[in-house]
Amino acid sequence: MKGTDIVVKGLSKSYNSVNGEESLEVLDDIYLHIKQGEFISILGPSGCGKSTLLNILAGFESGDNGVATCCKEKIEGVSTQRAVVFQSPVLFPWLSVRKNVMFGLKQKKMDDGARQKIVDKYLKAVGISKFENYYPGQLSGGMQQRVALARVLVLDPNILLMDEPFAALDAQSRLSMQELLLNLWQKHKPTVIFVTHDVEEALFLSDKVFIMSGRPGRIKKEIEVTFRRPRNISIIGTPEFSELKKHILSTLMDIY
Amino acid sequence: MLNLKKINLLGFLIPAIVFTFWYIVTMGGMVPPYLVPSPSTLLLVSIDFAIGNLNITPYSGTLFTHAYASITRVLYGFAIATVLGLTLGFLTGRSMLAKDTFDPTVHLIRIIPGIGWLPIAIVWFGVGETTTLFLISLAAFFPIYVNAAQGASSVSPLLIRAGKMLGANNISLYTTVIIPAAMPSTIAGLRLGLGVSWGFLVLGELTGVASGLGALMMDARMLGHVDIILVSMICIGILGRVSDILLMSSFKRSGLLIEGDKNEGN
Ligand SMILES: Nc1ncnc2c1ncn2[C@@H]1O[C@H](COP(=O)(O)OP(=O)(O)OP(=O)(O)O)[C@@H](O)[C@H]1O
Ligand SMILES: [Mg+2]
């Protein structure tokens, strides 16, 4: 599919306040232009509306004002072309790991042998093959999150919306998942929108970093990340990397 | 391992004490046999009741006829309750409109105790078969309905989002997400409903049907066969337990209930 740019213009969103008083403004006048195949990260303080923004891009919710478009069409409702890795794993607890990963493929008409092959491939890729017969309740949080990733990767989506997907992982598996994600991205070139609190992770992975202000969330700054690809962790030690990290951190600091 | 054994043995402790006590009081003649028969008499009567080899009671060899009649009634009554309860439960659980329409009336009717329907059921349906079916399905309907509705309405919206995002359409969303997610609560309702079915079976049969374990108990009371009353009670207990186990294992086999699930608890 060509021209799967994501364009957001003047998007705002409020929630009815839980106390029944004035409404809670969460997103304010958001502008975004994400080109097809781009890997972008979103950084911002907790509660600034990052998950809300992803929910709108996924089609789970709609904004109050402004538009969010994908492939030149207004985003209305959910599409399998926009895969979501939620902030919590949200696996189906009554299905084994294997069947969870199979879920999306089961919704499509296709040869079962082909299905099994794809599932095997991604179970292996996220390093969870050994646990394919476990149920989600029997896995650790980090393992569940890997299953959640494999579950959408099998669908080979054009757009990946990821909400702090690796936050629950230990340092080594986080790094290996980041490398896995970069490899997949290099091969299939999906558009990736990656929410994280980890500045190094954002820099290591993305072409561009969007920094949001505190609630109501706005895009405060857009920073190009131009490190040469393919990247490996050695860039984390370089002076350019530290410089950029410092810059981002200071932008994040004077958010209020 | 050791721990498990301890628990199992503990479970037998109270039955063993009761049995010993029972044996002693009936042997010594402290309690007359027309109130409580001795364990050995009861055993003989049960065997005779099942296979008819001794002809020691008028009910010799009739166990299977009666058990069959009772099981059939429970199955029919429970089936009616299940169909109505699940349909209406899932409907009100997923649609606010259906909930506002049906829920208040259902709960109003639910307040009337099941036994309270007996006189009017007899007036409407006469003594016997239909009344029994009516009572069983009415009483089993409520736990099935309430739990199915509760299960269906509390499916996490995140799971529904995940299902949609992975390509489930309106119909497959039901079969692959909503129904399985509502299962633990629904199964709890079905179990309760099945248990209640056996209770109301006895109530219906006591009012006078030709065959069935409840009818048998009433008949045996009039003929002074306390042993047959007790054997019937034991049969109903066993049948109730077996039907529960069959229900649970069928859910387990169908994959709707995962092994080691919290809602299992036998
Ligand atoms: N369904 C909802 N109803 C009411 N308020 C909501 C709802 N969803 C989110 N909010 C509010 O919107 C604000 C932004 O939430 P959101 O989850 O988008 O934050 P976030 O940037 O993802 O935070 P974090 O980094 O902690 O995940 C919060 O203040 C939250 O209370
Ligand atoms: Mg969030």
Side-chain angles (χ1 to χ4, degrees):
Chain A
M1 211 191 270
K2 286 283 154 228
T4 51
D5 284 15
I6 292 172
V7 181
V8 177
K9 280 184 188 154
L11 184 74
S12 65
K13 171 87 180 167
S14 307
Y15 283 113
N16 290 329
S17 136
V18 178
N19 321 326
E21 290 149 28
E22 63 202 85
S23 64
L24 185 75
E25 232 186 307
V26 177
L27 293 175
D28 181 27
D29 205 24
I30 300 275
Y31 282 84
L32 281 178
H33 188 141
I34 301 158
K35 290 206 254 333
Q36 186 198 349
E38 228 174 2
F39 196 130
I40 71 109
S41 291
I42 298 176
L43 286 169
S46 185
C48 76
K50 303 180 295 296
S51 297
T52 307
L53 180 59
L54 278 198
N55 280 338
I56 294 172
L57 293 178
F60 295 139
E61 289 174 43
S62 49
D64 302 331
N65 290 310
V67 282
T69 59
C70 174
C71 330
K72 302 204 172 75
E73 276 173 41
K74 193 162 186 287
I75 294 175
E76 273 168 334
V78 184
S79 154
T80 44
Q81 284 310 310
R82 297 189 300 272
V84 183
V85 179
F86 298 91
Q87 192 162 358
S88 55
V90 199
L91 300 174
F92 304 113
W94 58 89
L95 296 178
S96 66
V97 164
R98 186 178 190 82
K99 287 186 173 159
N100 262 286
V101 177
M102 184 87 77
F103 188 96
L105 296 174
K106 279 269 187 198
Q107 311 299 322
K108 296 203 223 175
K109 276 210 178 73
M110 64 188 288
D111 174 53
D112 196 56
R115 271 197 203 119
Q116 307 290 351
K117 248 196 202 143
I118 299 174
V119 169
D120 281 333
K121 176 177 154 193
Y122 284 101
L123 281 173
K124 191 154 175 258
V126 300
I128 210 101
S129 301
K130 261 196 207 151
F131 299 93
E132 63 170 1
N133 294 321
Y134 280 55
Y135 285 90
Q138 300 166 322
L139 299 181
S140 73
M143 287 156 88
Q144 291 184 30
Q145 200 58 305
R146 291 192 231 177
V147 179
L149 179 61
R151 169 173 85 167
V152 297
L153 290 182
V154 295
L155 293 175
D156 191 16
N158 282 335
I159 294 160
L160 258 174
L161 305 169
M162 308 180 80
D163 201 348
E164 302 180 38
F166 306 145
L169 298 181
D170 60 89
Q172 301 107 288
S173 25
R174 178 187 297 214
L175 196 64
S176 73
M177 294 304 286
Q178 289 166 349
E179 281 175 342
L180 166 76
L181 182 62
L182 277 185
N183 277 334
L184 284 163
W185 176 75
Q186 230 114 29
K187 263 188 229 150
H188 302 275
K189 281 286 176 173
T191 310
V192 181
I193 302 181
F194 192 98
V195 170
T196 179
H197 284 295
D198 183 338
V199 178
E200 290 191 359
E201 182 173 55
L203 284 176
F204 179 52
L205 294 173
S206 17
D207 296 320
K208 212 182 261 177
V209 176
F210 290 94
I211 297 174
M212 288 176 74
S213 65
R215 197 185 56 237
R218 258 175 247 191
I219 302 293
K220 189 179 181 192
K221 196 145 197 183
E222 187 180 324
I223 294 168
E224 300 272 349
V225 184
T226 52
F227 304 120
R228 198 147 30 84
R229 294 188 189 268
R231 297 175 187 166
N232 63 40
I233 52 163
S234 61
I235 64 164
I236 292 178
T238 63
E240 296 90 331
F241 192 93
S242 314
E243 198 53 43
L244 208 49
K245 182 178 168 186
K246 218 165 71 190
H247 177 56
I248 289 177
L249 280 176
S250 63
T251 315
L252 274 169
M253 290 300 274
D254 56 29
I255 240 130
Y256 300 97
Chain B
M1 236 13 240
L2 229 150
N3 212 351
L4 234 147
K5 266 188 192 152
K6 241 184 216 163
I7 289 169
N8 278 342
L9 283 181
L10 269 183
F12 284 111
L13 185 64
I14 292 173
I17 293 172
V18 170
F19 193 84
T20 317
F21 182 72
W22 176 20
Y23 195 79
I24 293 169
V25 293
T26 50
M27 282 320 266
M30 273 177 267
V31 177
Y34 63 84
L35 284 186
V36 182
S38 72
S40 52
T41 316
L42 199 70
L43 185 69
L44 284 178
V45 168
S46 320
I47 296 171
D48 174 56
F49 179 46
I51 58 178
N53 56 337
L54 298 171
N55 261 323
I56 42 177
T57 66
Y59 310 98
S60 162
T62 59
L63 165 68
F64 292 102
T65 327
H66 291 294
Y68 179 77
S70 292
I71 291 170
T72 320
R73 287 188 191 111
V74 164
L75 283 185
Y76 279 124
F78 180 63
I80 295 171
T82 302
V83 171
L84 293 178
L86 290 187
T87 316
L88 211 59
F90 269 86
L91 204 64
T92 55
R94 296 306 307 170
S95 141
M96 238 16 219
L97 186 70
K99 187 181 160 111
D100 292 342
T101 312
F102 295 114
D103 216 40
T105 314
V106 171
H107 282 282
L108 206 65
I109 301 173
R110 194 170 71 97
I111 305 219
I112 304 165
I115 301 172
W117 284 87
L118 182 62
I120 195 74
I122 292 177
V123 172
W124 287 341
F125 307 115
V127 182
E129 202 70 45
T130 321
T131 293
T132 311
L133 274 187
F134 173 78
L135 290 175
I136 294 175
S137 28
L138 181 84
F141 168 82
F142 294 109
I144 297 175
Y145 167 84
V146 170
N147 285 284
Q150 152 78 25
S153 67
S154 54
V155 176
S156 150
L158 275 175
L159 285 177
I160 292 176
R161 283 181 176 181
K164 282 187 185 163
M165 177 270 291
L166 293 167
N169 59 32
N170 280 338
I171 298 165
S172 59
L173 196 63
Y174 253 87
T175 55
T176 58
V177 179
I178 294 173
I179 292 178
M183 259 307 133
S185 163
T186 306
I187 291 174
L190 288 171
R191 282 184 96 173
L192 286 172
L194 189 57
V196 167
S197 295
W198 285 102
F200 280 78
L201 167 88
V202 174
L203 178 68
E205 286 184 341
L206 286 179
T207 66
V209 283
S211 59
L213 294 166
L216 189 69
M217 283 156 78
M218 218 47 184
D219 200 67
R221 183 194 67 84
M222 282 187 288
L223 297 186
H225 273 285
V226 69
D227 39 16
I228 286 292
I229 299 181
L230 287 172
V231 175
S232 303
M233 287 168 67
I234 293 168
C235 284
I236 289 167
I238 292 173
L239 285 175
R241 182 79 181 108
V242 168
S243 63
D244 185 55
I245 291 170
L246 287 178
L247 185 77
M248 292 311 278
S249 66
S250 71
F251 280 125
K252 260 180 216 156
R253 234 173 312 136
S254 69
L256 284 170
L257 186 68
I258 39 178
E259 211 76 40
D261 195 88
K262 278 188 234 79
N263 288 282
E264 196 182 338
N266 274 308

